[in-house]
Amino acid sequence: MSSSTSSLWTPAASARTASALAGNDTCDVCVIGAGIAGLTTAYLLGREGKRVLVLDAKPEFAAGETEYTTAHLAWYLDDHFSHLVAVRGDAIAKTAASTHRNAIALIGDIVKREQIDCDYHAVSGHLFAAANGTDLLHEEAETLTRLELPFERTKLAFPNEKEVECLRFPDHARFHPIRYVLGLVAAVRQQGGVIYTDTVVEKVRGGRPCEVRTTKEHTVTAGAVVIATNNPFEGGTVLHTKVSAHLTYALAANVPSGSFADGLFWDTAAPYHYVRLQPGGPASDVDTLIVGGEDHKTGQAQDQATRWDRLTAWTRERFPNLGPVRHRWSGQVFETPDGLGLIGLAPWNGPNVFVITGDSGMGLTHGTLGAQLVTDLVANRVNESAAAYSPSRLMPGALLTRLGENLNMAAQYVDWVTGGDVKNPDHIPPGQGAVIRSGLTKLAVYKDDRGAVTKMSAVCPHMGAIVHWNAAESTWDCPCHGSRFSATGTCLHGPSVGDLKNVD
Ligand SMILES: Cc1cc2nc3c(=O)[nH]c(=O)nc-3n(C[C@H](O)[C@H](O)[C@H](O)COP(=O)(O)OP(=O)(O)OC[C@H]3O[C@@H](n4cnc5c(N)ncnc54)[C@H](O)[C@@H]3O)c2cc1C
Ligand code: FES
């Protein structure tokens, strides 16, 4: 996300550019967002003969959270089946398992059909016990047995030779996410689909037809619209009372080849650690180990930079033969109270507008099953999983969690009446930013490495919360709904569609 961090998947030379939408256009379906969710949707609709336009805000496609993933393809839910059963019941939990399994299978089918060279491999998933985590492991084993989902009890041995209890699940997979979505892009284009980048959408009006309006005042008229922007730019309180933004951290480092199993691994801690091997590395005798964790609410931590240190220490304890960290990066996930995505008719946009959001840390499978579900809805076909993922669903069992989340969001507006981080720009070290009080409002002030100061309004253009400086990524992060901005105020992640206002 910043120059000091880099994702393992970012291609050295970018093959991800397209031109910007330069005028009004029409199509059967307009897909907004060119990450895995939007591109899979465009691909599946294109396969059905629909004329599809994909619009993406960034200069390159697939440069959103899909670039920052760790690429576990899992049907085992990271929020755990016992939690989902408690808030939604057995039938929905079974639907969640089968739809995520189908998503992994669909990715495998697309890889074969389109001959995408993306290192797709079927592997097992493993939930292993962290300290004091065996109760959760046993609860999960009981729930999975009742739901008749496949797993086996086993032990997991790390290279430091400590064995831990573990549940193993078949039919998971891993792949190279950017090579996969580049394959999707090639297929979409071959079907006649068109992808525009550098095109920010700010308004969608549902109807027959629908209208999509960009910040450059171009309009796309479409039979249907799919909003696959990870975090939608519209949705107001209907959406924001159901999803909360979290930052999660990842690193990649060498381990001697063959020193650990090729699989997906998650512990029972909260927040949990997620680990996987990417066989092959910069030399023939090493594999790449990818480890993630240390999640916190976006804009609500001050120790971001130390999160990678803690993650590295946790990894070295289990992998004493770990080489130097080659890549470290962070990104956002959007949690829902029951752990399932919000996928279907967007209740805030009117007829024929669909949304795929609420990735819950499993956005590759959610994005893929979301594309399948939305493709059925656009084609007016019945899809049995529609109720499980409906964005309009009520989640009575999850209301208490949600109440806590809403109070947390409301608490962020207290920033309006508190002091700043520092009194004036002299107190900001080069290369850093800080919030400074200025009369009744607050400024986000960034000082570059040469001492040049940029002053912006610290008020988030989305719904007016005060942004916070993230020293690890050199970004301004909004603690309310997850908008993120570069050091000099360019919007990097919605829901905001605007930049921080320059006040120089
Ligand atoms: C560190 C990390 C590890 C993860 N690990 C896993 C994992 O192992 N397994 C898993 O399943 N998931 C994982 N996830 C989550 C997963 O990577 C994401 O949920 C998923 O990639 C999101 O895909 P998407 O297509 O929904 O969104 P994105 O890839 O973010 O794409 C959305 C696109 O919409 C565009 N956009 C946004 N706003 C607008 C607008 N107003 N107008 C036009 N375009 C717009 C953006 O530019 C972007 O390109 C991880 C996430 C992180 C950060
Ligand atoms: S993201 Fe909603 S107020 Fe900032």
Side-chain angles (χ1 to χ4, degrees), residues 75 96-109 368-369 372:
W75 62 258
S98 66
T99 46
H100 280 269
R101 285 184 81 148
N102 291 346
I104 299 170
L106 175 65
I107 291 171
D109 286 348
T368 304
L369 72 87
Q372 284 179 301

Side-chain angles (χ1 to χ4, degrees), residues 135-413:
D135 285 355
L136 175 58
L137 221 55
H138 296 154
E139 198 182 347
E140 282 299 277
E142 260 172 42
T143 308
L144 291 158
T145 306
R146 207 185 58 252
L147 296 175
E148 298 175 344
L149 295 174
F151 78 98
E152 61 177 321
R153 290 170 203 262
T154 179
K155 301 256 188 225
L156 175 66
F158 286 107
N160 69 354
E161 290 175 354
K162 264 188 211 153
E163 265 196 351
V164 287
E165 269 194 70
C166 165
L167 304 181
R168 180 157 58 210
F169 312 100
D171 304 330
H172 284 55
R174 61 161 171 83
F175 67 168
H176 187 302
I178 293 299
R179 285 184 3 214
Y180 175 69
V181 292
L182 285 178
L184 285 178
V185 167
V188 167
R189 285 176 165 159
Q190 215 162 27
Q191 293 162 345
V194 182
I195 298 169
Y196 291 107
T197 51
D198 242 335
T199 303
V200 182
V201 175
E202 64 175 354
K203 190 101 206 108
V204 174
R205 194 180 52 73
R208 201 173 295 270
C210 307
E211 252 184 37
V212 172
R213 191 116 184 108
T214 72
T215 50
K216 297 219 170 109
E217 302 199 350
H218 297 130
T219 302
V220 174
T221 309
V225 176
V226 180
I227 300 169
T229 53
N230 193 229
N231 195 16
F233 43 92
E234 293 175 300
T237 46
V238 180
L239 172 71
H240 297 305
T241 50
K242 288 184 175 168
V243 291
S244 57
H246 295 246
L247 270 180
T248 181
Y249 295 75
L251 59 84
N254 297 345
V255 287
S257 60
S259 61
F260 195 55
D262 185 4
L264 314 180
F265 305 87
W266 323 281
D267 71 8
T268 53
Y272 70 103
H273 297 94
Y274 44 102
V275 180
R276 88 165 175 89
L277 203 71
Q278 179 70 20
S284 60
D285 57 347
V286 295
D287 289 331
T288 302
L289 188 75
I290 308 168
V291 181
E294 289 290 334
D295 304 17
H296 63 80
K297 287 199 172 142
T298 301
Q300 298 190 32
Q302 257 112 43
D303 60 347
Q304 291 96 332
T306 63
R307 303 259 164 173
W308 285 298
D309 297 339
R310 287 210 289 273
L311 204 53
T312 309
W314 182 92
T315 311
R316 276 198 201 292
E317 209 180 295
R318 284 150 189 87
F319 297 86
N321 47 12
L322 190 80
V325 172
R326 283 179 14 232
H327 294 268
R328 54 185 197 138
W329 68 96
S330 66
Q332 281 198 107
V333 292
F334 290 85
E335 296 292 342
T336 62
D338 59 7
L340 295 190
L342 303 176
I343 301 161
L345 202 59
W348 51 85
N349 275 117
N352 300 315
V353 181
F354 304 90
V355 67
I356 303 173
T357 190
D359 62 71
S360 298
M362 299 182 64
L364 303 177
T365 39
H366 265 130
T368 304
L369 72 87
Q372 284 179 301
L373 172 48
V374 162
T375 300
D376 281 347
L377 297 178
V378 168
N380 265 323
R381 283 192 296 265
V382 174
N383 183 309
E384 308 256 304
S385 68
Y389 293 101
S390 168
S392 308
R393 68 185 182 265
L394 292 173
M395 293 175 266
L399 277 183
L400 280 179
T401 328
R402 187 44 43 203
L403 184 64
E405 290 289 346
N406 292 347
L407 289 174
N408 177 286
M409 276 183 210
Q412 302 315 314
Y413 288 93

Side-chain angles (χ1 to χ4, degrees), residues 231 240 413 460-467 478-485 494-496:
N231 195 16
H240 297 305
Y413 288 93
C460 176
H462 177 234
M463 285 170 74
I466 299 293
V467 296
C478 182
C480 253
H481 316 111
S483 289
R484 300 185 71 196
F485 307 86
S496 175

